[in-house]
Amino acid sequence: MAPTAEPSPPPPVKLNSARLRTWRALFANPPRSDIAWDEVTALVRALGGREIHHHQKTTGSRVRFLLGGVKGFFHRPHPENVLGKLCAADVREFLVRAGAAA
């Protein structure tokens, strides 16, 4: 018998259906590898976070987010717009550290 997946923790704010799908995808176990980067950025904004822009020439694909006073540093996926499993796990950990999930 296959193990049952644990339900994702509830988000701290009411999310629309698209953001809620992204939330559940990020908290899936094992981490999923089909989450669009644009959906992650929209989720962070919906949770009250923002992207921190640095006007340096060398920032490249590095992206910084601020949510709940916590900074998260990620590499924007390229050439595709889809997160890998490790990046999805990093985003999930960021959400937990920022207090968005228990």
Side-chain angles (χ1 to χ4, degrees), residues 13-58:
V13 296
K14 185 170 174 66
L15 299 172
N16 68 26
S17 61
R19 303 296 84 80
L20 190 56
R21 273 193 307 272
T22 305
W23 175 271
R24 288 180 178 146
L26 285 168
F27 283 91
N29 194 10
R32 289 177 42 182
S33 61
D34 62 346
I35 305 168
W37 175 254
D38 296 338
E39 293 298 321
V40 170
T41 59
L43 174 63
V44 171
R45 284 192 303 270
L47 294 170
R50 62 186 176 93
E51 190 173 335
I52 303 171
H53 295 281
H54 292 279
H55 303 288
Q56 299 173 352
K57 291 182 181 180
T58 59

Side-chain angles (χ1 to χ4, degrees), residues 52-102:
I52 303 171
H53 295 281
H54 292 279
H55 303 288
Q56 299 173 352
K57 291 182 181 180
T58 59
T59 57
S61 63
R62 288 187 307 176
V63 179
R64 297 175 188 202
F65 290 107
L66 181 64
L67 175 64
V70 176
K71 291 180 183 176
F73 302 90
F74 307 100
H75 280 87
R76 179 181 290 120
H78 55 83
E80 306 234 351
N81 192 33
V82 179
L83 271 64
K85 289 181 180 185
L86 293 177
C87 189
D90 289 343
V91 171
R92 177 174 52 197
E93 177 62 28
F94 165 66
L95 294 175
V96 170
R97 280 192 341 246

